[in-house]
Amino acid sequence: MAEKILIVDDEIDMLELLELIITDRTEYAVVTTNTPLEVPELLKKDSFDLLITDLRMPDIDGIELIEMVKQIDDQIPFIIITAYGTIESAVEAMRKGAFDYITKPFRQEQILLTIEKVMKWRRLQKENIALKAELERIKKGTNG
Amino acid sequence: MFIQTKKFILSIGILTVVLLIAGLIVGFYSLRYVKEIVSEQFNQQQLELATHAARQLENQFLNTIQDVTILNQSPSVQYLEKVSWANRIKITLSTMQETGVQEIGRVNGSGKTLFAVTQKQEIRVTPGSYRMQEAFLWAKKPENKNRIFLVPDDKETGTIKKPVLKVIMPTYLESADDAHPVPGHQFAGYIYLILDKEYFVTQMLKDIRSGKTGYAWAIDNEGNFIYHPVPEFIGKNAFAVRGQREAKISFDQINRIQKEKMLRGVQGTSWYVSGWHRGVRGNIKKLIAYSPVRLQGTSPSFNWAVAVVAPVTEVDEVIHTAYLWQFIMQGFIIFAIILGSLSIIGFEWQYTKTLKTEVERKTKDLQRSEEQYKKLVEGAQDIIFSATREGRFLSLNRYGANFLSGELFNPEAQVSPGTRHYQDHTVKFIGKELAQFFPLNGTFHPQLIEEIWHTGRPKTIEHSLKIGANDFWLSTQLIAIKDEMGQVQEVLGISRDITEKKKIEKQMINTEKLASLGLLAAGVAHEINNPLGVILGYCDYMLDKIPPEDKVHKVLEKIERQGNHCKRVVENLLSFSRYTEHSDTISDINLNLENVFAVVENNLMIKKIQLKKNLEANLPRVKADPVQLQQVFLNLMNNAVAAMPKGGFLMVTSRWNIYDDKVEVVIADTGTGIKKENRERIYDPFFTTKKVGEGTGLGLTVTYGIINHYQGTINLETKTEEEDPINHGTSFTVTLPVYHSKREAEKKGV
């Protein structure tokens, strides 16, 4: 089962470019939305391994979006795409728990590398969770 | 005004004196007049006294005559009856003794015997030949019947002779008695009485008082005194005796009165000079009133004269007392006037003095204030001048003269005040046109003075001014100076050098402009950044997909190259507008400069530019990102190199300004300088004087942004070759605050 990435950006061309690069160069499944307010809905319907979001959007800004996402799923990692001038916001996003940030305009190698880093970590996280669950089960088994 | 007042006061003074003198004269004349009137009145009273005395004497005499007449009617006297005649006479005599009758007697008709009774009651019968005497002969004449004959005589009483008056009355036998029942009517001699004239008159006159000390005297028809308070005069001739007594005094006046008036039976009043009065001797003026005493029934008529005299001083005293009071009063008035005048004069004098001192003080004050103003004007660090309506200098202060002659910027050329040369220095401007010194371009136009003259309202203008190679900005206030009538006399101008202010103002404007530009740039950058990101993203994707030998690949590369140029521009814009790097990096200015020198050294050699380093050792460090600082210095040095195409000097100075606690870096060249029209635009984004493609026009913009970000300042001074053919070039001064570590700050107690 391929890992799923949710990309949020108000700019449709950007969404399409990211989708194009990721689907073209990786095996990950991609879901895009240009409406940040849809994100909670999407998260509830489906499970994602990565959230990529633009920091500056008209309805809701990236930081608020992270807050919202965390309330639904506090385990999901995310990458912030930011313009050159809003590094302070990117730093804040990191504090809020963003895995990494990419400044626009970016080269495809850069984004792919970052995605790969996150996915590795995500797998480890998942594995960790699975192992912990296994351990619990064994403990129960031995006890039981 | 003052002189008029003085004249007025003087004339008033003169008038007062004249009036006072006139008053005195009038007073004197009035005194004389009053004296005359009072003397006249006094004399009239004296005349009444004299007249009254005369009447009384006349009456007394008449009474005596009547008594003798009655006696003459008595038969015992007529007939000389032996038994009774003496008794009869005695009776009459006893009643008449009061009047000074000394003796009454009869001479009989034959004229051979005289029968007399004296006041001592002696009876004498004296025989004698009386018939030949004048009295008998007169009595015998029938026409003299009932008449009286007066014979003056001297009667010896003891040793002294006394003037007496014999009163004679013819006797006729007309009465009847027992012995003579029928009267014979024949002549029977005469009856006589001897009257002591002095006594007779003295009784009447001795108690007369005129005034306090005035008295009466009397003379008989021969001019002899019959009464006078001076006893030795009595019986003496009035015309002679006075002179004998007081030879020095002329008695002409009284003698004339006696002769022409008194002895002629005239009554009247007059005055004369006497030599004495009641024991007081001297030249005494006397008032005299005289009246005749007509002894009735005498034949020939026989007159005496009574005079009442009093010294003029009598009258004078009365008047003088009154006049003394009047004079005292006048004196008081005069005194009051004089006192008033004196006090007015004194007050005026005082006032004048005060006024004078006040004027002097005011003059001194004025001089002092003038001096003060002069000092102020001369010491002022502004150009202070006054101008005529035609726009010519009337005056100019020292600073102005130094400024306008360009000597202000050449201390050796300045002249100290007080010297003749200094005078000439400021004087040489007088009369010259303002236009020679103030360029009449734009704000400072020739109509300006006329306008101020016309409206009378002050005006402030800012205008530029070129002195030598220097440009200045002046703020000139033009004020209309009016006279008392409100007419404009001259225009006062105060020009202040606001070149520095203008610079700061321009910087402020620049700062504001750049700040707003920064915001704009940030917005633009962000807006461009997104589509640029998309373009470059797709371009990147395509380059991956298309083989390099393909033509399309070349096209995509071109797109990518131009896109990247865009990207650089945007990055520069963003770095100028906003520094996101919260870098706490501390930099060593000299180290950074050396780093830049290393980069540019090669380029400088090629361009024949000599580097002159003047770096202060042990500079304090500043809080700035070294990479960015190097970018600043590199930008400035690149610009300097670009300004010196024919080579020159690049002078880099670093120093610590301990007063402001700032580090300053000066990067100066000897290049072409920045043209005047470009000076305000050098920090503007995309403004460049380089050829297209050589520069983005963002170098200084970014430099400005960086310096600004670290609370620093950047200033420039520049002169083009036209402005200063020798010392042209540009010099940028970057100032950055010194970094103090927290520990250092704590030590300082900040």
Side-chain angles (χ1 to χ4, degrees), chain B residues 172-186:
Chain B
Y172 286 83
L173 304 175
E174 285 175 328
S175 296
D177 64 355
D178 295 344
H180 312 87
V182 181
H185 296 287
Q186 66 268 44

mmCIF file of all heavy atoms in Angstrom, chain B residues 172-186:
data_model
loop_
_atom_site.group_PDB
_atom_site.id
_atom_site.type_symbol
_atom_site.label_atom_id
_atom_site.label_comp_id
_atom_site.label_asym_id
_atom_site.label_seq_id
_atom_site.Cartn_x
_atom_site.Cartn_y
_atom_site.Cartn_z
ATOM 1 N N TYR B 172 -24.225 205.828 78.560
ATOM 2 C CA TYR B 172 -25.169 206.974 78.515
ATOM 3 C C TYR B 172 -26.154 206.813 79.663
ATOM 4 O O TYR B 172 -26.524 205.694 79.992
ATOM 5 C CB TYR B 172 -25.908 207.025 77.169
ATOM 6 C CG TYR B 172 -25.027 207.515 76.014
ATOM 7 C CD1 TYR B 172 -24.177 206.656 75.340
ATOM 8 C CD2 TYR B 172 -25.062 208.887 75.666
ATOM 9 C CE1 TYR B 172 -23.366 207.110 74.300
ATOM 10 C CE2 TYR B 172 -24.253 209.335 74.622
ATOM 11 C CZ TYR B 172 -23.415 208.455 73.930
ATOM 12 O OH TYR B 172 -22.605 208.877 72.922
ATOM 13 N N LEU B 173 -26.547 207.899 80.243
ATOM 14 C CA LEU B 173 -27.462 207.819 81.393
ATOM 15 C C LEU B 173 -28.864 207.551 80.866
ATOM 16 O O LEU B 173 -29.612 208.468 80.555
ATOM 17 C CB LEU B 173 -27.395 209.109 82.221
ATOM 18 C CG LEU B 173 -25.996 209.481 82.727
ATOM 19 C CD1 LEU B 173 -26.042 210.839 83.438
ATOM 20 C CD2 LEU B 173 -25.482 208.445 83.718
ATOM 21 N N GLU B 174 -29.231 206.339 80.850
ATOM 22 C CA GLU B 174 -30.539 206.024 80.247
ATOM 23 C C GLU B 174 -31.431 205.242 81.187
ATOM 24 O O GLU B 174 -32.597 205.066 80.914
ATOM 25 C CB GLU B 174 -30.298 205.213 78.969
ATOM 26 C CG GLU B 174 -29.799 206.084 77.873
ATOM 27 C CD GLU B 174 -29.433 205.304 76.618
ATOM 28 O OE1 GLU B 174 -28.988 204.136 76.725
ATOM 29 O OE2 GLU B 174 -29.596 205.860 75.523
ATOM 30 N N SER B 175 -30.842 204.744 82.224
ATOM 31 C CA SER B 175 -31.664 203.947 83.140
ATOM 32 C C SER B 175 -32.276 204.881 84.203
ATOM 33 O O SER B 175 -31.773 205.995 84.438
ATOM 34 C CB SER B 175 -30.808 202.889 83.841
ATOM 35 O OG SER B 175 -30.318 202.013 82.882
ATOM 36 N N ALA B 176 -33.285 204.345 84.791
ATOM 37 C CA ALA B 176 -33.935 205.139 85.836
ATOM 38 C C ALA B 176 -33.935 204.341 87.120
ATOM 39 O O ALA B 176 -34.117 203.127 87.109
ATOM 40 C CB ALA B 176 -35.363 205.514 85.419
ATOM 41 N N ASP B 177 -33.781 205.101 88.197
ATOM 42 C CA ASP B 177 -33.962 204.452 89.508
ATOM 43 C C ASP B 177 -34.602 205.451 90.456
ATOM 44 O O ASP B 177 -35.077 206.521 90.019
ATOM 45 C CB ASP B 177 -32.607 203.935 90.027
ATOM 46 C CG ASP B 177 -31.595 205.009 90.291
ATOM 47 O OD1 ASP B 177 -31.886 206.161 89.985
ATOM 48 O OD2 ASP B 177 -30.482 204.674 90.765
ATOM 49 N N ASP B 178 -34.507 205.075 91.685
ATOM 50 C CA ASP B 178 -35.190 205.976 92.624
ATOM 51 C C ASP B 178 -34.565 207.368 92.598
ATOM 52 O O ASP B 178 -35.272 208.404 92.608
ATOM 53 C CB ASP B 178 -35.090 205.407 94.052
ATOM 54 C CG ASP B 178 -35.874 204.059 94.163
ATOM 55 O OD1 ASP B 178 -36.694 203.804 93.235
ATOM 56 O OD2 ASP B 178 -35.617 203.283 95.095
ATOM 57 N N ALA B 179 -33.239 207.356 92.508
ATOM 58 C CA ALA B 179 -32.575 208.656 92.514
ATOM 59 C C ALA B 179 -32.733 209.391 91.191
ATOM 60 O O ALA B 179 -32.757 210.621 91.149
ATOM 61 C CB ALA B 179 -31.086 208.468 92.839
ATOM 62 N N HIS B 180 -32.837 208.721 90.208
ATOM 63 C CA HIS B 180 -32.990 209.374 88.888
ATOM 64 C C HIS B 180 -34.193 208.820 88.197
ATOM 65 O O HIS B 180 -34.082 207.891 87.399
ATOM 66 C CB HIS B 180 -31.718 209.088 88.028
ATOM 67 C CG HIS B 180 -30.441 209.327 88.757
ATOM 68 N ND1 HIS B 180 -29.806 208.370 89.550
ATOM 69 C CD2 HIS B 180 -29.698 210.470 88.859
ATOM 70 C CE1 HIS B 180 -28.728 208.905 90.082
ATOM 71 N NE2 HIS B 180 -28.617 210.200 89.677
ATOM 72 N N PRO B 181 -35.285 209.291 88.470
ATOM 73 C CA PRO B 181 -36.513 208.771 87.852
ATOM 74 C C PRO B 181 -36.568 209.043 86.358
ATOM 75 O O PRO B 181 -37.103 208.262 85.604
ATOM 76 C CB PRO B 181 -37.640 209.498 88.590
ATOM 77 C CG PRO B 181 -37.017 210.544 89.445
ATOM 78 C CD PRO B 181 -35.551 210.467 89.431
ATOM 79 N N VAL B 182 -36.023 210.167 85.973
ATOM 80 C CA VAL B 182 -36.050 210.458 84.521
ATOM 81 C C VAL B 182 -34.605 210.438 84.001
ATOM 82 O O VAL B 182 -33.774 211.241 84.419
ATOM 83 C CB VAL B 182 -36.686 211.855 84.243
ATOM 84 C CG1 VAL B 182 -36.747 212.152 82.753
ATOM 85 C CG2 VAL B 182 -38.043 211.928 84.845
ATOM 86 N N PRO B 183 -34.289 209.586 83.142
ATOM 87 C CA PRO B 183 -32.946 209.555 82.632
ATOM 88 C C PRO B 183 -32.631 210.771 81.742
ATOM 89 O O PRO B 183 -33.504 211.225 81.002
ATOM 90 C CB PRO B 183 -32.894 208.273 81.780
ATOM 91 C CG PRO B 183 -34.242 207.639 81.836
ATOM 92 C CD PRO B 183 -35.174 208.538 82.625
ATOM 93 N N GLY B 184 -31.351 211.197 81.830
ATOM 94 C CA GLY B 184 -30.969 212.377 81.065
ATOM 95 C C GLY B 184 -30.464 212.027 79.669
ATOM 96 O O GLY B 184 -30.333 212.874 78.839
ATOM 97 N N HIS B 185 -30.135 210.827 79.437
ATOM 98 C CA HIS B 185 -29.635 210.343 78.129
ATOM 99 C C HIS B 185 -28.321 210.977 77.701
ATOM 100 O O HIS B 185 -27.923 210.839 76.562
ATOM 101 C CB HIS B 185 -30.680 210.522 76.998
ATOM 102 C CG HIS B 185 -31.913 209.686 77.221
ATOM 103 N ND1 HIS B 185 -31.945 208.319 77.070
ATOM 104 C CD2 HIS B 185 -33.163 210.073 77.624
ATOM 105 C CE1 HIS B 185 -33.136 207.862 77.357
ATOM 106 N NE2 HIS B 185 -33.936 208.922 77.722
ATOM 107 N N GLN B 186 -27.647 211.670 78.595
ATOM 108 C CA GLN B 186 -26.389 212.276 78.168
ATOM 109 C C GLN B 186 -25.231 211.291 78.327
ATOM 110 O O GLN B 186 -25.337 210.296 79.054
ATOM 111 C CB GLN B 186 -26.071 213.618 78.916
ATOM 112 C CG GLN B 186 -25.810 213.440 80.396
ATOM 113 C CD GLN B 186 -27.054 213.596 81.251
ATOM 114 O OE1 GLN B 186 -28.117 213.056 80.892
ATOM 115 N NE2 GLN B 186 -26.980 214.338 82.358
#
